Amino acid sequence: MSSGVLQVGPLIPSLQEALRTSYDVVRLPDNPGERPAFLAANADAVRVIVTAGVTGSPRIDAELIASLPRLAAVVYCAVGYDSIDLSAAAARSIRVSNTPDVLTDCVADAAVGLLIDVLRGFSAADRYLRAGRWVTDGPYPLTRRVTGSRVGILGLGRIGAAIARRLEAFDCRIGYHNRTPVPGCAYQYFDSPTGLAHGVDVLVVATPGGAGTRALVDADVLAALGETGYLINIARGSVVDESALADALTSGRLAGAGLDVFAHEPNVPEALLGLDNVVLLPHMASATVQTRAAMAELALRNLASFCDRGELVTPVEVP
């Protein structure tokens, strides 16, 4: 067995089983009060952290990193890595990997599904029918057409580009905002999130999380999107100012939203729970059998490669 692996938080079952059978792994206690004694007994042996950063998992923060003197790598079973303090990792030359590409298609599918659901009101119409209101109140109110919509992608990376390709099939007019234009991209570029929101019917958030994008979608962006506009977020909850979003939705200054992620998961703002123009998902955009198996397999490849050769298969560029 290979030694020196620390599991932080819950993992995909297949990944956890592989760690159990092939590595000498210990798990960081979920209870913060138990961690000092655990680290005193185990910290010197830990060379690699394996984590998925799921809801409720401890952050790989500067304090945890400092407590592990031999830590050399963090293997992250997800694409976003905002729960890792990259600056603290870089200061110690600790390598970090993630699992890009393997979840792109499922997350893009989920984004398009949310967009269709919100504009057409399918989830709300399902509740309407089940409550007997088709019989008592007549036909469900008219909804909005998806085909031909103007859609803005905030963050035209792997996932954002996959969303845009899918929406081309609906004859949507695509615009986007990145920090800099994508060379050779045929979509219309907007130089600010506010400018993008002003020019589209639907704003899809696909940018990475972290300090650099915190509350990037703020009250001004939502005001630019306007009372006929829709917001879709499959990125990170921290990218959207949730208070401003709830206020815009409850006051009618935004037409609707489809949200897979939230700022304080698993807690969702109470104001959103009763709104029929909002579709809420429990952070499940990549949660398919096939994608989670592929994520686990890639995480294991990163771990094995680092343990054997000191190299990561899909390293993150640490600043």
Side-chain angles (χ1 to χ4, degrees):
M1 282 192 172
S2 299
S3 62
V5 177
L6 175 66
Q7 176 184 337
V8 176
L11 299 174
I12 298 167
S14 60
L15 176 56
Q16 186 156 315
E17 178 62 14
L19 290 183
R20 186 188 68 81
T21 57
S22 300
Y23 294 87
D24 183 10
V25 60
V26 292
R27 179 169 176 173
L28 185 72
D30 293 330
N31 183 351
E34 298 175 8
R35 291 174 196 163
F38 170 86
L39 290 169
N42 295 280
D44 288 343
V46 173
R47 293 190 62 248
V48 184
I49 285 175
V50 179
T51 185
V54 300
T55 301
S57 291
R59 283 180 48 82
I60 313 303
D61 57 16
E63 182 180 0
L64 179 59
I65 289 171
S67 71
L68 301 170
R70 297 184 62 237
L71 181 65
V74 178
V75 172
Y76 196 62
C77 189
V79 64
Y81 39 82
D82 47 303
S83 65
I84 302 172
D85 189 327
L86 294 182
S87 296
R92 288 262 307 277
S93 299
I94 294 167
R95 307 286 302 282
V96 177
S97 70
N98 65 342
T99 55
D101 297 321
V102 295
L103 48 65
T104 296
D105 285 332
C106 280
V107 175
D109 291 349
V112 175
L114 276 171
L115 188 154
I116 295 171
D117 194 344
V118 171
L119 267 67
R120 295 300 311 276
F122 289 152
S123 289
D126 175 88
R127 293 190 292 272
Y128 185 92
L129 182 153
R130 291 174 188 271
R133 295 184 61 189
W134 192 13
V135 175
T136 60
D137 298 351
Y140 188 76
L142 298 179
T143 61
R144 290 284 297 275
R145 186 173 73 169
V146 174
T147 298
S149 297
R150 300 173 301 165
V151 180
I153 310 293
L154 185 58
L156 197 70
R158 292 182 180 92
I159 293 173
I163 295 167
R165 289 194 299 272
R166 284 156 172 76
L167 291 173
E168 287 180 14
F170 291 87
D171 294 327
C172 292
R173 289 169 285 170
I174 309 295
Y176 76 100
H177 170 73
N178 280 10
R179 285 177 292 183
T180 58
V182 176
C185 181
Y187 304 136
Q188 182 179 0
Y189 177 73
F190 291 81
D191 62 7
S192 71
T194 304
L196 176 64
H198 184 73
V200 299
D201 305 306
V202 185
L203 181 64
V204 181
V205 183
T207 190
T213 58
R214 191 171 304 280
L216 185 64
V217 178
D218 57 13
D220 289 340
V221 172
L222 296 172
L225 197 51
E227 63 184 15
T228 61
Y230 295 82
L231 180 76
I232 308 296
N233 188 8
I234 47 76
R236 284 290 185 267
S238 60
V239 180
V240 176
D241 181 333
E242 279 190 349
S243 295
L245 175 62
D247 184 56
L249 287 164
T250 54
S251 65
R253 290 182 285 107
L254 192 68
L259 309 172
D260 181 55
V261 290
F262 305 91
H264 305 289
E265 297 177 359
N267 300 304
V268 177
E270 186 73 24
L272 301 180
L273 297 179
L275 298 179
D276 269 343
N277 60 339
V278 181
V279 179
L280 306 170
L281 298 180
H283 201 152
M284 58 176 289
S286 67
T288 65
V289 172
Q290 298 91 334
T291 291
R292 291 297 168 86
M295 290 168 64
E297 190 274 335
L298 182 51
L300 283 170
R301 286 172 54 205
N302 273 295
L303 177 59
S305 177
F306 189 82
C307 290
D308 293 344
R309 301 185 300 278
E311 299 176 358
L312 294 168
V313 178
T314 51
V316 170
E317 184 177 343
V318 179

